[in-house]
Amino acid sequence: MKNLFLILLFLPVFAKGQIITTVAGGGTGGLGDGGLATAATIGYTGGLAVDRSGNIYIADANNQRVRKVDATTGIITTIAGTGTPGYNGDNIAATTAKLNLPAAVSVDTFGNLYITDDNNYRIRKVDVNTGIITTFAGNGIFGHSGDDSLATNAKITGGFTAWDAFGNMYIGDNYRIRKVDASGIITTVAGTGLDSCVVDSAVAITANINDGVISTDRFGNVYFSSIDSCVTIHKINFTTGIISRVAGTNDHIGIPYSGDGLLATSCHIYPIGVIVDDTGNLYIADYENQRIEKVDTTGTIYTIAGNGVNGFGGDNGLATAAKISYPENVALDPCGNVYIMDFNNKRVRKVTFDTSCNLSTLKSTSILPESTITIFPNPATTSLTIQPTAQPITEIIITNLLGQTIYTQQQTTTQQQTIDVSTFPTGIYFIKINSTEVRKFVKE
């Protein structure tokens, strides 16, 4: 993560009608806290997140702060960090806490903020209600250790983070992807710690990977960009733990961009930022090609922002005609609008897709699929009952934390099913129903 940030720090049917604007950065004065975000200055950064209310969070690493742009007022403030690098402890107001290269941010479904405090080798949490900062993962020592124990006791190196629909955080941690589950236990789910381009169809837990930015989809699959010479995006299947390539080519050529309308796996891209929406569309910050691309659910890629020319220009015009400069990350709001960390322009820019969507009145919706089953008891000791509530059960797959399949059943039934789990080792399991709904249960 640290090497990625330092490299980036010093590196110098298509969507039509979407307008691009600057929503933060571009000012020429001081930081600009307390004023409009468009009059503020921000440093070089790839850390970007948007919460379910549309508030924007920026990991302003150069300024040793995390900053928030209010969705309603457009006002920017510092919500973590003092501007002085260091570490002065937890359980204090985040605005009085020292950070040391805050390089990435993410937000959970409750609105709590998580900061990759890179040089402090911690992931830190800012409570949305109290503003108090605590350590969520990492013990402050550089390295890799602590799997199958509390994340706060583990050694980490830091990295981009993402949340799935089941309350698990994923961390891109120095050629590994690690997971912190809802009980605070950390495990490695992909990578060996050796840097390598991913081999298609590899088993994630034994594969050598090159991890950049990570994301998840609504079914718990994990996506990650591979940078340097790999220039691909891969997906880790939640159920099987198998890695597959979803964008970029096998020839490791990232530039120039091959063009719109191709299968994403046949297109030359240089991806860093990646995010997946609730319907399975993939958005890519194509760093070297000066574009933002979308891969739809058919696997077809096309440009939604940037004309491929390095520079700045085009605000209040068509996003596909605008100039952007080394876009490093992307984020989405609940309306489907796309936010771009325009790295070299030190701005956050927005591509508006739905002008009728009002975030202030938008009802909060679950990012899980509509519930079609009930499972009980949870925790379970001897048996687990699955009761369909809306449609028949056609398939049941139970996997452990390593992605290994423990139990399968394939039959169509509208009757409740009882599964003997008495021989399952104690631990956390995931049950996938009909390839669409995933639940977590605990075996005691």
Side-chain angles (χ1 to χ4, degrees):
M1 172 65 191
K2 189 179 291 72
N3 290 337
L4 169 63
F5 180 78
L6 292 176
I7 290 169
L8 296 175
L9 182 62
F10 294 106
L11 280 174
V13 178
F14 304 125
K16 293 183 178 179
Q18 279 73 48
I19 301 301
I20 191 170
T21 54
T22 293
V23 292
T28 57
L31 281 174
D33 275 355
L36 288 175
T38 50
T41 60
I42 58 177
Y44 294 107
T45 179
L48 177 67
V50 179
D51 69 17
R52 296 187 67 79
S53 298
N55 301 304
I56 304 166
Y57 298 87
I58 303 165
D60 196 348
N62 292 102
N63 292 309
Q64 307 295 345
R65 302 166 185 267
V66 174
R67 305 173 75 186
K68 175 183 176 181
V69 181
D70 186 272
T72 302
T73 65
I75 300 298
I76 191 168
T77 54
T78 293
I79 61 168
T82 63
T84 301
Y87 176 77
N88 60 342
D90 284 334
N91 300 303
I92 57 178
T95 50
T96 66
K98 290 182 180 180
L99 306 175
N100 200 339
L101 201 69
V105 286
S106 62
V107 182
D108 67 19
T109 55
F110 302 103
N112 300 304
L113 174 69
Y114 297 79
I115 305 165
T116 299
D117 196 357
D118 217 25
N119 280 347
N120 283 322
Y121 313 119
R122 291 175 167 91
I123 309 295
R124 302 176 78 181
K125 173 183 175 180
V126 180
D127 187 277
V128 65
N129 296 312
T130 66
I132 298 298
I133 194 169
T134 53
T135 292
F136 178 79
N139 63 7
I141 301 173
F142 177 89
H144 172 80
S145 71
D147 274 356
D148 302 310
S149 63
L150 286 175
T152 49
N153 295 332
K155 292 180 181 178
I156 65 173
T157 61
F160 286 92
T161 60
W163 288 86
D164 70 12
F166 317 108
N168 303 304
M169 173 190 274
Y170 293 85
I171 308 169
D173 190 16
N174 200 27
Y175 313 128
R176 295 178 174 91
I177 296 174
R178 303 177 78 183
K179 179 173 77 172
V180 182
D181 68 18
S183 61
I185 301 300
I186 191 169
T187 54
T188 296
V189 297
T192 63
L194 298 177
D195 178 14
S196 176
C197 295
V198 185
V199 177
D200 287 346
S201 301
V203 177
I205 194 65
T206 59
N208 298 333
I209 66 172
N210 180 303
D211 60 291
V213 178
I214 58 177
S215 183
T216 64
D217 66 20
R218 67 190 303 191
F219 301 117
N221 303 306
V222 178
Y223 298 73
F224 64 97
S225 60
S226 293
I227 56 171
D228 300 330
S229 62
C230 303
V231 293
T232 52
I233 295 173
H234 281 79
K235 170 185 172 181
I236 304 172
N237 184 282
F238 171 85
T239 301
T240 65
I242 300 298
I243 299 178
S244 59
R245 181 168 45 90
V246 295
T249 60
N250 262 331
D251 57 15
H252 309 307
I253 298 172
I255 54 175
Y257 176 63
S258 296
D260 292 341
L262 300 175
L263 284 177
T265 49
S266 300
C267 187
H268 292 146
I269 57 174
Y270 196 103
I272 293 186
V274 56
I275 196 165
V276 185
D277 68 19
D278 284 352
T279 57
N281 299 300
L282 179 72
Y283 299 82
I284 302 167
D286 192 343
Y287 186 79
E288 290 281 358
N289 288 304
Q290 322 300 340
R291 298 172 184 268
I292 304 300
E293 293 122 12
K294 176 180 177 179
V295 180
D296 66 20
T297 54
T298 71
T300 303
I301 192 169
Y302 55 91
T303 301
I304 61 170
N307 63 5
V309 178
N310 180 25
F312 175 75
D315 268 0
N316 303 306
L318 294 180
T320 50
K323 291 181 180 179
I324 54 182
S325 186
Y326 299 104
E328 192 182 328
N329 213 344
V330 282
L332 299 168
D333 67 22
C335 290
N337 302 310
V338 177
Y339 297 76
I340 305 164
M341 184 55 76
D342 195 350
F343 179 81
N344 217 36
N345 286 318
K346 302 181 184 178
R347 287 173 167 87
V348 178
R349 301 173 80 181
K350 176 182 178 182
V351 181
T352 301
F353 278 80
D354 188 351
T355 57
S356 65
C357 183
N358 188 338
L359 282 170
S360 64
T361 59
L362 186 68
K363 291 183 179 179
S364 177
T365 57
S366 172
I367 61 176
L368 286 168
E370 182 180 357
S371 179
T372 60
I373 62 165
T374 300
I375 66 170
F376 60 91
N378 192 7
T381 54
T382 59
S383 64
L384 183 73
T385 298
I386 305 167
Q387 175 65 60
T389 59
Q391 61 183 10
I393 295 173
T394 59
E395 181 182 55
I396 300 171
I397 299 174
I398 298 177
T399 58
N400 61 19
L401 285 172
L402 297 177
Q404 298 166 329
T405 299
I406 305 300
Y407 174 90
T408 61
Q409 173 183 309
Q410 291 185 325
Q411 66 179 38
T412 300
T413 178
T414 59
Q415 304 300 312
Q416 74 176 26
Q417 301 294 298
T418 299
I419 299 172
D420 181 5
V421 298
S422 60
T423 60
F424 287 18
T426 299
I428 298 172
Y429 294 84
F430 297 95
I431 184 164
K432 190 172 186 178
I433 308 296
N434 300 346
S435 299
T436 58
E437 185 162 357
V438 182
R439 297 290 188 87
K440 179 171 68 175
F441 76 92
V442 176
K443 166 60 169 59
E444 291 185 337

